[in-house]
Amino acid sequence: MQENNSIGIVAPRTAHFSEPFTLKSGKILPQFDLVFETYGILNADRSNAVLICHALSGHHHVAGKHHESDKYPGWWDNLIGPGKPLDTNRFFVIGLNNLGGCHGSSGPSSINPDTNKPWGSAFPIVTVEDWVNSQARLLDHLGITQLAAVIGGSLGGMQALQWTIAYPERVRHALVIASAPNLTAQNMAFNEVARQAIITDPEFHGGDYYEHGVVPRRGLRIARMLGHITYLSDDAMGEKFGRKLKDNIKYSFDVEFEMESYLRYQGDKFAGEFDANTYLRMTRALDYYDPALAYGGDLSKALSKAKAQFLVLSFTSDWRFSPARSREIVKALLDNESTVSYAEVTAAHGHDAFLMPDKHYHAILRTYLSNIQIGSDHAK
Amino acid sequence: MQNNVNITNAVTKFRQDFAIIANWVNFGSKVLDLGCGDGELLQFLRDSLETKGYGVEKDDTNVLACVKNGTNVIQMDLEDGLSGFENQSFDTVILSQTLQAMHNTERIVLEMLRVGEEIIVTFPNFGYWRNRMQITAGRMPVSKALPYQWYDTPNVHLCTINDFDDFCKNHKIEILERRVITDGKEVDFLPNLLGSLAMYRLKSK
């Protein structure tokens, strides 16, 4: 919508970390790479940094374009840029590809320096906690002690929440959007079906398909199709496709309805560009995240050390990360007398709404972000 | 959807009640303002008494205004109760000029008593003589305090001071203090006839 205030042409960078990194599982990564992008300028007292945490299929390319000829900008370009709700004239914005990803950071499809072959099944399972710890290392690398804000939607929102728990001194504001304090059984069930689709694909080869020169494309495609059903609301799907036919009914199993065409397109596109092993790990990270678990299921206790100020947002038609789940986070924050505001945005698009430029949603983000103090005035 | 009407903004001119509310709230205490509008009262209390405040608001525009003002706001519908708030987790819970627009009137008052040690409830007194005059003249009352026509009013549960006194008695609610004001002045004589705005400080018996 606002093409004219794009951040413009951006380029990714890679940070190499050679210190061993212990994961929540106990496994140790002897070294790893994180690929990241930054937008805007880090100010003199380094108080204007904002970290963007990506969701299931996201990556470091959050805003702008890599080349003038790119068809699409970064995945959250409608939010980030000069004059946009997250204003790069004011903030220094960092986007990264999480550990285990498939867009340049160390992950199953990257080369294991010990073997000079893709990691494949040998790449460990990573968690939200691991991601946040690795993100903290990236901040160290960039010389940033404290974030002005951490922002994330969905699985990204879990990372934003985890930041406030793991590094209470290092984050002043957390924007937790369309997220949850853990997944419900139903939500995990979708992940399990997605993983089974991948793992039972004959071309999966136990996760070491790279050496066979194949990819479990069918499995990944079905996993993504399933995902897309859950990201849209019934109403949004009805409005977008309804029972519209592609052509006359042919009494076949080819694409008959527009909805099928959409799902197949999304599935094919995704299967052609995403790594199945990464998809498995991202869904597992979702399943495992449960900060209250260590506190006997008491989320309030889990959040008791958080010092950040919170903005929690949910969308009325989001059933995969429903408003009720966001309200659980809000309740825990209220129990701790944290500074928190909560908005429940009326939106028809289901879970996908968090990536859309809804006017009210963006007005809230813009307003909240513009109130964040940076520079010498942020220190109380 | 009567409750979508922005009640709070319509009555902001009548916020002389703020001073009385401030008298009933302790310095540095924790306050929950239900139907907080743009957060004006919470800001007033924060500035004058250093309270820790949260507002509850349903309307999108008001929620945005609260975010802008730096007021903690939780967007939810009071008709759903206060399930997101722990028992006795606030020193004072305020329902300012919103009671009359609630469908679940009884429930919200009981919920407030559950969540707050003390509660403050204010509402336009339907027994005010000007309202009685209009009824006598055969019309539904329309005034500064009740600025709606019968067909577009959000007010579904109007009551008089006597009615509310009875309500408290029947629900075993202790009236700690009652103040009645008209045009910014306190009314001591015949409050149910001469009072425009009724203000109560209450707690569970």
Side-chain angles (χ1 to χ4, degrees):
Chain A
M1 9 187 283
Q2 294 165 307
E3 281 296 325
N4 54 343
N5 52 5
S6 164
I7 189 73
I9 301 298
V10 297
R13 287 190 276 161
T14 300
H16 180 72
F17 301 89
S18 48
E19 293 277 304
F21 184 65
T22 305
L23 301 167
K24 197 181 178 194
S25 64
K27 294 242 166 73
I28 296 171
L29 275 177
Q31 53 179 309
F32 64 97
D33 288 342
L34 290 178
V35 63
F36 66 100
E37 288 181 7
T38 66
Y39 322 113
I41 296 163
L42 187 61
N43 63 3
D45 66 356
R46 297 164 184 251
S47 63
N48 68 334
V50 174
L51 179 69
I52 306 292
C53 301
H54 70 73
L56 196 65
S57 59
H59 44 70
H60 57 285
H61 184 37
V62 189
K65 289 182 173 182
H66 287 155
H67 307 283
E68 206 61 67
S69 57
D70 287 357
K71 198 171 169 196
Y72 300 108
W75 58 270
W76 218 350
D77 189 78
N78 62 35
L79 182 77
I80 301 158
K84 288 188 182 176
L86 180 50
D87 190 347
T88 48
N89 289 328
R90 223 173 144 243
F91 291 107
F92 176 69
V93 180
I94 307 156
L96 84 156
N97 183 213
N98 277 330
L99 210 50
C102 55
H103 292 87
S105 292
S106 296
S109 56
S110 70
I111 299 296
N112 180 350
D114 290 341
T115 61
N116 267 326
K117 286 197 295 192
W119 279 90
S121 61
F123 196 86
I125 297 221
V126 287
T127 63
V128 168
E129 291 87 341
D130 296 331
W131 285 335
V132 167
N133 291 338
S134 65
Q135 289 160 6
R137 286 215 186 172
L138 178 62
L139 293 197
D140 295 341
H141 170 81
L142 294 170
I144 295 160
T145 313
Q146 188 187 58
L147 291 167
V150 57
I151 307 179
S154 190
L155 177 57
M158 289 175 163
Q159 292 159 60
L161 194 64
Q162 179 59 24
W163 259 100
T164 70
I165 296 170
Y167 299 98
E169 309 288 345
R170 294 192 75 171
V171 52
R172 298 206 298 282
H173 293 268
L175 284 73
V176 181
I177 305 170
S179 196
N182 61 21
L183 293 194
T184 58
Q186 186 199 45
N187 207 329
M188 289 192 289
F190 290 121
N191 288 342
E192 172 59 5
V193 175
R195 280 191 301 269
Q196 283 300 312
I198 292 167
I199 289 167
T200 58
D201 186 315
E203 310 211 291
F204 181 64
H205 296 288
D208 293 315
Y209 43 87
Y210 313 101
E211 57 199 60
H212 293 83
V214 292
V215 288
R217 170 182 277 271
R218 277 169 289 178
L220 185 55
R221 177 173 176 265
I222 291 167
R224 187 58 171 179
M225 288 167 79
L226 173 67
H228 268 282
I229 299 169
T230 70
Y231 304 149
L232 282 172
S233 67
D234 193 8
D235 284 349
M237 268 193 137
E239 198 175 304
K240 202 167 180 174
F241 312 110
R243 295 186 50 84
K244 265 184 280 180
L245 288 161
K246 284 297 278 184
D247 203 350
N248 292 328
I249 290 183
K250 294 190 290 288
Y251 298 96
S252 77
F253 297 117
D254 293 336
V255 169
E256 293 273 41
F257 295 96
E258 292 275 7
M259 167 275 300
E260 296 166 348
S261 170
Y262 168 81
L263 287 180
R264 288 188 191 195
Y265 171 78
Q266 292 292 345
D268 285 336
K269 183 165 155 258
F270 191 72
E273 62 193 24
F274 206 84
D275 179 61
N277 276 323
T278 289
Y279 202 83
L280 295 179
R281 280 159 182 74
M282 295 285 167
T283 57
R284 256 310 185 217
L286 269 168
D287 294 352
Y288 286 143
Y289 190 59
D290 187 5
L293 189 64
Y295 298 88
D298 188 336
L299 185 64
S300 306
K301 277 194 189 138
L303 282 164
S304 64
K305 290 190 183 75
K307 287 186 172 167
Q309 301 184 28
F310 288 82
L311 177 66
V312 181
L313 288 166
S314 71
F315 299 90
T316 50
S317 57
D318 184 351
W319 56 278
R320 185 106 196 235
F321 289 81
S322 71
R325 304 309 318 279
S326 283
R327 285 198 292 264
E328 287 178 38
I329 297 173
V330 172
K331 169 150 192 324
L333 294 170
L334 285 170
D335 289 345
N336 286 309
E337 301 186 15
S338 301
T339 297
V340 55
S341 280
Y342 169 64
E344 206 164 290
V345 179
T346 303
H349 291 98
H351 191 51
D352 271 350
F354 90 87
L355 292 169
M356 308 223 168
D358 175 82
K359 206 173 148 198
H360 177 61
Y361 166 46
H362 271 199
I364 288 189
L365 290 177
R366 178 186 292 276
T367 305
Y368 187 90
L369 290 165
S370 68
N371 275 352
I372 292 180
Q373 296 190 323
I374 53 170
S376 53
D377 58 7
H378 81 272
K380 277 194 222 138
Chain B
M1 295 293 286
Q2 287 160 312
N3 286 316
N4 283 338
V5 177
N6 185 344
I7 300 147
T8 319
N9 278 356
V11 291
T12 37
K13 288 195 186 74
F14 291 87
R15 291 294 165 111
Q16 68 266 48
D17 48 341
F18 279 19
I20 291 175
I21 290 175
N23 260 313
W24 285 348
V25 170
N26 288 327
F27 185 87
S29 63
K30 195 177 161 197
V31 178
L32 180 63
D33 184 10
L34 305 179
C36 67
D38 62 5
E40 194 184 4
L41 174 60
L42 283 169
Q43 279 189 82
F44 176 74
L45 295 174
R46 183 179 62 196
D47 293 346
S48 51
L49 295 165
E50 295 183 25
T51 52
K52 172 107 198 169
Y54 296 87
V56 170
E57 180 56 54
K58 179 180 171 181
D59 177 74
D60 280 351
T61 311
N62 281 333
V63 168
L64 183 60
C66 286
V67 171
K68 185 168 190 174
N69 297 335
T71 299
N72 293 325
V73 63
I74 310 300
Q75 186 166 26
M76 54 180 258
D77 188 348
L78 293 176
E79 302 289 2
D80 298 335
L82 300 174
S83 59
F85 299 92
E86 278 294 330
N87 295 349
Q88 300 295 295
S89 56
F90 284 84
D91 298 308
T92 306
V93 180
I94 302 169
L95 185 68
S96 178
Q97 303 194 30
T98 304
L99 182 78
Q100 74 281 358
M102 295 290 302
H103 286 261
N104 295 313
T105 316
E106 203 172 6
R107 182 176 174 204
I108 193 65
V109 174
L110 299 177
E111 276 283 84
M112 289 171 73
L113 291 162
R114 176 182 68 77
V115 170
E117 216 164 291
E118 285 186 15
I119 73 169
I120 294 171
V121 176
T122 80
F123 58 87
N125 174 29
F126 203 72
Y128 183 44
W129 68 272
R130 286 181 187 277
N131 297 336
R132 298 191 196 195
M133 291 281 284
Q134 291 188 50
I135 295 274
T136 308
R139 299 280 176 193
M140 285 299 286
V142 178
S143 63
K144 280 188 290 182
L146 298 170
Y148 302 98
Q149 296 295 329
W150 63 271
Y151 53 82
D152 67 2
T153 181
N155 299 328
V156 291
H157 281 141
L158 288 158
C159 69
T160 69
I161 288 172
N162 290 350
D163 291 330
F164 195 75
D165 284 349
D166 287 350
F167 174 88
C168 292
K169 203 166 151 189
N170 295 337
H171 289 83
K172 297 193 166 42
I173 300 167
E174 184 182 353
I175 300 174
L176 298 167
E177 220 171 324
R178 188 188 76 193
R179 307 275 278 272
V180 178
I181 52 181
T182 302
D183 294 333
K185 292 195 191 85
E186 291 225 32
V187 176
D188 295 323
F189 182 63
L190 296 175
N192 195 36
L193 186 66
L194 302 178
S196 164
L197 181 72
M199 306 182 64
Y200 287 78
R201 183 161 71 91
L202 310 164
K203 67 181 285 186
S204 293
K205 260 183 191 162

